[in-house]
Amino acid sequence: MTGPVAGDIAQRSRRAKGEQTRRQILEAALRVIAERGYRAVTHRAVAAEAGVNLSLTTYYFKDLGEMMSEAFTHYKDQLYRDTGEQWQALFEYIDQFDAEALTRKEIRRELADRMAQKISDYLECHIQNHPKGIAVEMAFFFDLHLHESQRQLAYSLRSRFLADFRAVCERLATADPETDAELIVGTVHRLECEAIALPSQPRANTIFRQLQRLLVALLT
């Protein structure tokens, strides 16, 4: 095959390979941050972790700040995709009940229990399968030496989940949806941090019990 068609195919192939390499670098940067902290992020460290030539990290990213920001954005977008179906299922479950049913205490207790179980199952899976992602979130949330624009990326992630929980609280007409969403997200964030900071501590049913108690208090 020759001519324009062959050239177009070759160009698409190069573009796809470039995107794959760029993604490798971003995911390697996330692993370096999770395992060694953001101060360990250098072009050399990330290139070694990604298994690519050192020159490629400077080719795709103008500086380390841009690399870290785009790495966290990559993580955030992936997390949104992973949780999208679960949020949709939760809203569909709530929408089974009409306004009158949602005023009944036994229904609200059922909703609190179901939400606690769903969130608990998600957290257990996230903690077991993506502990490095949680470590990256902690670094971007709590390291005051990070540039403000980078910490804002972590706050934008939190704001997204706050909006989702606020929508649930509004649908269930809790006393103060904004504050109630803050309490839920704060509890979820604390449970995640404790789980990876203290991995030897027993965790069986702890996450579910705390979430259940909180949601029962808020919803009933």
Side-chain angles (χ1 to χ4, degrees), residues 127-148:
I127 290 163
Q128 289 182 21
N129 298 327
H130 305 287
K132 291 180 180 178
I134 298 171
V136 169
E137 289 179 42
M138 290 174 65
F140 274 74
F141 268 121
F142 298 121
D143 197 320
L144 298 180
H145 297 287
L146 275 173
H147 191 276
E148 180 65 18

Side-chain angles (χ1 to χ4, degrees), residues 14-215:
R14 286 194 298 272
R15 189 181 303 120
K17 185 177 180 180
E19 282 302 310
Q20 181 181 358
T21 300
R22 191 174 183 279
R23 185 166 58 250
Q24 279 181 250
I25 293 170
L26 292 175
E27 290 174 355
L30 290 171
R31 291 195 296 274
V32 172
I33 294 169
E35 294 168 5
R36 289 173 267 168
Y38 89 92
R39 291 180 182 82
V41 177
T42 63
H43 286 287
R44 189 173 299 279
V46 172
E49 180 68 28
V52 301
N53 190 287
L54 177 61
S55 63
L56 289 174
T57 63
T58 54
Y59 173 78
Y60 285 106
F61 305 98
K62 66 181 181 182
D63 55 38
L64 292 174
E66 180 183 64
M67 183 192 295
M68 288 200 297
S69 294
E70 293 202 27
F72 191 81
T73 299
H74 173 73
Y75 168 74
K76 184 175 65 171
D77 291 344
Q78 187 174 37
L79 192 60
Y80 288 165
R81 290 192 296 272
D82 291 345
T83 58
E85 289 185 6
Q86 297 181 50
W87 277 112
Q88 183 178 352
L90 177 58
F91 281 111
E92 287 175 355
Y93 177 73
I94 293 172
D95 287 340
Q96 294 180 81
F97 303 98
D98 59 26
E100 187 279 328
L102 290 176
T103 64
R104 290 155 50 191
K105 188 169 183 177
E106 66 272 19
I107 295 295
R108 295 180 75 84
R109 174 59 193 249
E110 178 186 333
L111 284 164
D113 289 345
R114 187 179 180 93
M115 284 178 61
Q117 190 63 64
K118 286 290 186 183
I119 298 170
S120 177
D121 289 346
Y122 165 75
L123 288 180
E124 287 288 359
C125 180
H126 195 49
I127 290 163
Q128 289 182 21
N129 298 327
H130 305 287
K132 291 180 180 178
I134 298 171
V136 169
E137 289 179 42
M138 290 174 65
F140 274 74
F141 268 121
F142 298 121
D143 197 320
L144 298 180
H145 297 287
L146 275 173
H147 191 276
E148 180 65 18
S149 64
Q150 292 167 344
R151 280 190 285 125
Q152 284 299 325
L153 290 171
Y155 294 134
S156 70
L157 175 62
R158 188 174 190 276
S159 295
R160 167 67 179 269
F161 288 115
L162 269 175
D164 289 331
F165 277 112
R166 184 170 59 248
V168 170
C169 292
E170 288 171 349
R171 176 71 177 88
L172 299 175
T174 64
D176 184 347
E178 184 75 35
T179 301
D180 296 340
E182 289 275 5
L183 289 169
I184 297 169
V185 171
T187 299
V188 167
H189 194 67
R190 175 181 59 78
L191 289 168
E192 285 183 321
C193 291
E194 287 178 356
I196 66 165
L198 302 168
S200 62
Q201 294 297 311
R203 203 172 66 238
N205 292 322
T206 300
I207 290 176
F208 171 74
R209 289 199 305 271
Q210 291 191 36
L211 288 169
Q212 183 188 44
R213 186 171 178 83
L214 173 62
L215 289 167

